[in-house]
Amino acid sequence: MAEWTTIGKWKEQTVGKQSVLWDRMDGRQVTLLDQTIRPHLPPAYPGYLRDSKVGDIAVGTQMAPGAHLVYFPSHINEFQLSPDGYHADEAPPDPFCQRVWAGGLIEFNVANPLRVGELTSQTKRIENVTIKERSDADPLVLVNLALEMHNTRGHCVTEYRNLAYMKPIDLQRKTVKHRREPEFSHELTPTEIMLFRYSALSWNSHRIHYDAVYAQNVERHPGLLVHGPLTCTLLLQLLQTHMPKRMALKSFDYRAVSPMYCQQPVTLNGRWIQDASGTRTSNGAQLCELWAANNNGGLSMKGVATIVPLPDAQ
């Protein structure tokens, strides 16, 4: 097919492309993120030390897991974006123009976490492009990104991000139920203000998150979509609320299953994974299954977090 030839040529030009961005982990930015998500989180969600004068989260404070997703804004202007408002340099040629955040893996350096005020670099590389055939629909073009963050002390975070592109379709929400009961959970309802603020903070102009007319009339969603990285961030903050003492998040491996929509209730869930002997730990590590369920009770996102003991120095 001619379109596969086009995708193949685009892949040859795209895989291996690399860019470097620098950003300071500004206290105002992470404070605004906290103000965006905290009202929707459990009351027990931990607080942060604040600067006594300006009220921002204090310099030197360890940043919440997932906060890096609202840093390192791209330097391209709006006329360099795709028609849907997203980055054109990561998007395959037409007709694969409808994009979803498919999941990823985030690995945290527990010995060197991101901290407020630090100058940090992010190296982004397009790792691979693959075509996934589907028996019940047109194929997907999968774009895999690798992002590595370093501060003055070395490596902080590595993120592997998976994006899926498809031909324009009417997306059908899957209703896949989770088979296990959570040990802890929290319900919230994403609002237009929450989605708008997160779009602004993450410099994400993908129109499905803030332009209801576009989301409904062009991509044929019932409403505004909740951002994949926002859902990921909320799940990680649920884990932070229930984090055992002297433990820290090492990694989160997750997959998006179906969309979540604005003004529809969402339930964040978690349960500790036990091995065959009934213990929760192996070599000091502990696994926690996290998932988000939509208003129909169907899975929207699921993943497994690994937590480990804090280094003695922290």
Side-chain angles (χ1 to χ4, degrees):
M1 296 174 63
E3 58 191 28
W4 298 148
T5 301
T6 303
I7 294 295
K9 290 180 179 179
W10 178 77
K11 176 180 179 178
E12 291 177 1
Q13 299 168 355
T14 302
V15 171
K17 274 189 176 181
Q18 183 169 296
S19 61
V20 180
L21 291 173
W22 288 83
D23 203 353
R24 191 170 297 280
M25 302 295 99
D26 178 59
R28 177 62 51 84
Q29 183 81 347
V30 74
T31 300
L32 293 176
L33 173 64
D34 187 72
Q35 291 177 355
T36 299
I37 63 176
R38 181 173 293 276
H40 299 273
L41 293 171
Y45 178 61
Y48 295 97
L49 181 66
R50 301 283 180 144
D51 182 281
S52 60
K53 292 185 178 179
V54 298
D56 290 344
I57 295 175
V59 170
T61 302
Q62 182 174 333
M63 294 173 60
H68 72 277
L69 292 163
V70 301
Y71 287 86
F72 308 103
S74 68
H75 294 168
I76 60 177
N77 66 54
E78 67 172 286
F79 300 110
Q80 296 171 301
L81 296 170
S82 297
D84 67 354
Y86 205 69
H87 306 309
D89 61 338
E90 299 170 4
D94 288 341
F96 297 94
C97 56
Q98 192 158 320
R99 170 192 168 278
V100 294
W101 186 287
L105 167 65
I106 309 175
E107 298 175 335
F108 301 90
N109 183 353
V110 176
N112 182 30
L114 286 171
R115 294 187 181 277
V116 175
E118 294 182 328
L119 185 63
T120 307
S121 68
Q122 176 186 268
T123 302
K124 181 175 74 172
R125 183 175 61 257
I126 298 179
E127 290 273 275
N128 198 13
V129 174
T130 57
I131 297 173
K132 181 180 179 181
E133 298 285 351
R134 298 187 291 176
S135 59
D136 57 346
D138 285 326
L140 298 175
V141 177
L142 304 177
V143 179
N144 307 117
L145 310 177
L147 305 95
E148 294 186 358
M149 280 139 269
H150 291 77
N151 59 15
T152 56
R153 295 182 303 279
H155 168 256
C156 301
V157 179
T158 298
E159 179 188 353
Y160 300 97
R161 187 179 299 173
N162 304 321
L163 308 176
Y165 292 85
M166 65 197 77
K167 296 178 181 180
I169 59 170
D170 293 345
L171 286 176
Q172 300 296 319
R173 177 190 274 182
K174 299 178 182 177
T175 304
V176 180
K177 304 281 186 176
H178 200 278
R179 296 180 180 180
R180 300 183 184 274
E181 291 296 319
E183 293 183 33
F184 50 89
S185 62
H186 176 70
E187 185 175 308
L188 63 97
T189 299
T191 63
E192 288 88 349
I193 291 175
M194 182 191 199
L195 270 57
F196 168 80
R197 287 185 167 185
Y198 191 81
S199 287
L201 285 167
S202 56
W203 202 234
N204 182 350
S205 49
H206 196 188
R207 295 169 65 182
I208 59 174
H209 303 304
Y210 64 89
D211 184 343
V213 173
Y214 174 87
Q216 294 171 331
N217 294 348
V218 177
E219 297 204 13
R220 301 187 182 279
H221 292 284
L224 297 174
L225 273 76
V226 179
H227 313 66
L230 175 55
T231 306
C232 172
T233 299
L234 292 170
L235 285 171
L236 293 181
Q237 305 329 301
L238 176 73
L239 176 60
Q240 288 297 103
T241 306
H242 297 271
M243 183 70 71
K245 292 182 179 180
R246 301 295 303 164
M247 300 289 282
L249 179 64
K250 177 65 176 174
S251 66
F252 184 48
D253 190 353
Y254 69 98
R255 181 170 67 89
V257 179
S258 64
M260 295 195 310
Y261 294 107
C262 184
Q263 293 297 348
Q264 294 184 1
V266 173
T267 306
L268 308 176
N269 303 280
R271 58 176 291 272
W272 300 106
I273 299 176
Q274 299 185 358
D275 62 20
S277 65
T279 180
R280 295 179 178 177
T281 61
S282 175
N283 298 324
Q286 192 167 340
L287 302 179
C288 184
E289 187 176 12
L290 299 170
W291 69 96
N294 58 38
N295 60 313
N296 293 327
L299 276 174
S300 180
M301 180 176 287
K302 65 176 182 177
V304 174
T306 301
I307 65 173
V308 295
L310 280 169
D312 292 339
Q314 292 190 338

